[in-house]
Amino acid sequence: MWHDAAVMAGKDLRVELRSRVATNQVAPFALLVLILFAFALDPDRGILGRAAAGLFWVAVLFSALLAVQRAFAIEAGDGTRDGLRLSGLDPAAIFLGKAGAVALQLVALEVVLGAGVVVLYDRALHGPALLVTTCLLATVGLAAAGTVYGALAAGLRVRETLLPLLLLPVVAPVLLAATRASEAALGGTPADGWPWVRLLGVFAVIYVAFGVVAFGPLLEES
C-alpha cells in the first residue's frame, strides 16, 4: 500500500512541478489574500496583529481548495479516472498518495505565507515547536478531508462550487483549533496552544482513517 501511495503522490507532484500551477497561481493568490487583508486592516495595526493567525489559516484554506480541485481536475478528461480505477492500485493507497501530495504542496505554501505574516503583520514567533506541530497536523487534516470530498465532488458538473460547500463545514474545527494554537505560538504563551494541538491530532486521525476506509467506494461512484 505504501508503495502504491508513493507512486500516486509522485505522479501528482510531477504533474504540478511541470505545470507550475502551484508556483504561478496558487502561491501568488495566497500572498495576495494576505496583502489585501493588510491593506484593509492597516489603519488599526492592533487588530491586524491579533487577527494574523486567523488570516494566515484563511489563506491556507483557500489555497487548499484550489489544490484539491487541481488534484482531481487533472484526471477529469480522457478517461483518466477510469484508468485509475483499473490500474490495480489499492484505493487506500490512492487516497494516501493524493492527500500526501496536497499536504506537501500546502506545507511549502505555509512556509511562504508564514514569512509573509512576519513581514506584513509584524508578528514575532514565540513558540516555533508549537507552530510547526500545528501546521503539520492541520495540514494533514485539511489534505485528508479535502481529498475525500474532492473525490465525492469529482464526478459532478458543479464540482467547482460544490466542493467548498461540502468541505468548509467539515474543516471548520480544524481551522478553529489551528488558529487558536497559532495565536498562542505568536502571542507569547505557547502553553495555551497545546490543548488545541491535541484536538488537531484527533481530527487528523479521524479524517485520515475515514479516507482510507471510504475512498474506494467514493472513487467507484465518482
Side-chain angles (χ1 to χ4, degrees):
M1 183 181 70
W2 296 111
H3 176 267
D4 290 350
V7 170
M8 178 56 59
K11 185 267 294 181
D12 281 5
L13 290 174
R14 283 193 299 272
V15 170
E16 292 304 322
L17 285 174
R18 291 169 182 172
S19 66
R20 298 182 181 178
V21 171
T23 56
N24 293 343
Q25 298 180 25
V26 178
F29 168 77
L31 286 173
L32 183 60
V33 170
L34 289 184
I35 293 171
L36 289 175
F37 280 130
F39 277 113
L41 300 176
D42 184 68
D44 192 335
R45 300 293 294 181
I47 293 178
L48 184 61
R50 291 192 298 271
L55 299 179
F56 171 83
W57 285 109
V58 167
V60 171
L61 179 60
F62 288 161
S63 303
L65 288 171
L66 295 177
V68 170
Q69 287 179 337
R70 171 69 179 168
F72 288 92
I74 58 179
E75 296 168 350
D78 299 326
T80 306
R81 193 169 293 118
D82 291 332
L84 190 61
R85 296 189 189 98
L86 299 173
S87 64
L89 295 176
D90 188 340
I94 296 175
F95 163 76
L96 292 174
K98 296 189 80 65
V102 171
L104 287 175
Q105 295 175 59
L106 290 180
V107 166
L109 181 67
E110 287 163 11
V111 173
V112 177
L113 290 177
V117 167
V118 171
V119 173
L120 293 173
Y121 300 166
D122 192 23
R123 300 297 292 169
L125 182 59
H126 298 278
L130 173 62
L131 187 60
V132 169
T133 306
T134 298
C135 288
L136 291 177
L137 291 176
T139 300
V140 170
L142 289 174
T147 303
V148 169
Y149 284 92
L152 181 63
L156 304 176
R157 293 181 180 178
V158 292
R159 55 181 175 270
E160 289 81 6
T161 54
L162 182 61
L163 179 60
L165 293 176
L166 293 175
L167 184 59
L168 292 180
V170 175
V171 300
V174 174
L175 195 66
L176 173 63
T179 300
R180 292 290 182 262
S182 299
E183 286 175 350
L186 296 173
T189 54
D192 295 340
W194 289 108
W196 294 104
V197 170
R198 289 193 288 272
L199 183 61
L200 280 174
V202 171
F203 280 112
V205 170
I206 291 173
Y207 292 156
V208 170
F210 179 75
V212 168
V213 173
F215 193 79
L218 291 176
L219 185 64
E220 292 296 328
E221 294 296 330
S222 64

